Amino acid sequence: MDKIADYLYVSRQLNERSAKQAAQFYDIKTVICNRPDSEEEGQPDFETVKQWLEAAGVENIVYLPVTVDTITDEQLREFQETIAQSPAPILAYCRSGTRSALMWALNQAKRGVEVNSLLRAADLAGIDLTPMREKLQQAYDKR
């Protein structure tokens, strides 16, 4: 689990132990799942992860599955609105953390945050968004 912004952490797929740690050690108040169920054999489904989080004391848990190649403006809006309306700190997770970091970065680019700054913030959180540079630049240019 790595901090990408003051209010937001990103993480790879949660398991029962990491769900408990998110609540106990990071005091996570909101969790956003960006990973579709059944994306990979053996992954826990959203309802299972939600039960782990609820047992650990996290009350605000949102299912917003996306795939990198098909992220829509509507999904970006929903992600941003969820962040804006939810108690922090917030944790967004997917298979590796990259998709969740990309959702945050695309929204930031649309708000006028320079792409190199976003790439650096993601890098500091252990996420390499350089393969998505063009997508981020397009979002920045459309603002």
Side-chain angles (χ1 to χ4, degrees):
M1 186 172 322
D2 294 291
K3 194 175 222 180
I4 197 165
D6 287 343
Y7 53 88
L8 181 65
Y9 291 84
V10 292
S11 172
R12 64 178 44 111
Q13 174 67 56
L14 297 179
N15 58 35
E16 190 169 7
R17 182 172 177 236
S18 59
K20 188 175 184 178
Q21 287 176 333
Q24 291 181 346
F25 298 115
Y26 293 90
D27 197 30
I28 296 297
K29 303 289 188 218
T30 300
V31 174
I32 303 169
C33 172
N34 294 131
R35 187 165 194 201
D37 280 344
S38 303
E39 183 178 50
E40 190 174 88
E41 190 174 323
Q43 89 182 59
D45 64 12
F46 171 73
E47 286 303 317
T48 299
V49 175
K50 183 177 179 184
Q51 289 173 4
W52 295 335
L53 291 163
E54 288 173 340
V58 179
E59 295 178 10
N60 192 28
I61 306 161
V62 179
Y63 186 55
L64 179 57
V66 297
T67 59
V68 169
D69 296 333
T70 61
I71 294 173
T72 66
D73 286 341
E74 182 178 327
Q75 289 169 322
L76 287 173
R77 260 190 313 280
E78 186 174 350
F79 185 82
Q80 188 61 39
E81 287 172 6
T82 299
I83 287 173
Q85 297 169 3
S86 298
I90 298 167
L91 168 64
Y93 79 91
C94 56
R95 187 183 65 76
S96 67
T98 301
R99 195 175 341 185
S100 296
L102 180 60
M103 294 285 284
W104 168 80
L106 285 167
N107 275 314
Q108 296 301 306
K110 290 173 109 182
R111 295 175 69 199
V113 178
E114 202 270 330
V115 172
N116 285 332
S117 296
L118 297 170
L119 294 175
R120 180 72 179 134
D123 186 56
L124 290 171
I127 307 276
D128 181 13
L129 289 183
T130 55
M132 283 69 155
R133 177 186 285 278
E134 186 176 323
K135 189 175 225 160
L136 289 166
Q137 190 64 51
Q138 289 171 354
Y140 179 83
D141 292 342
K142 284 183 184 178
R143 61 185 166 81

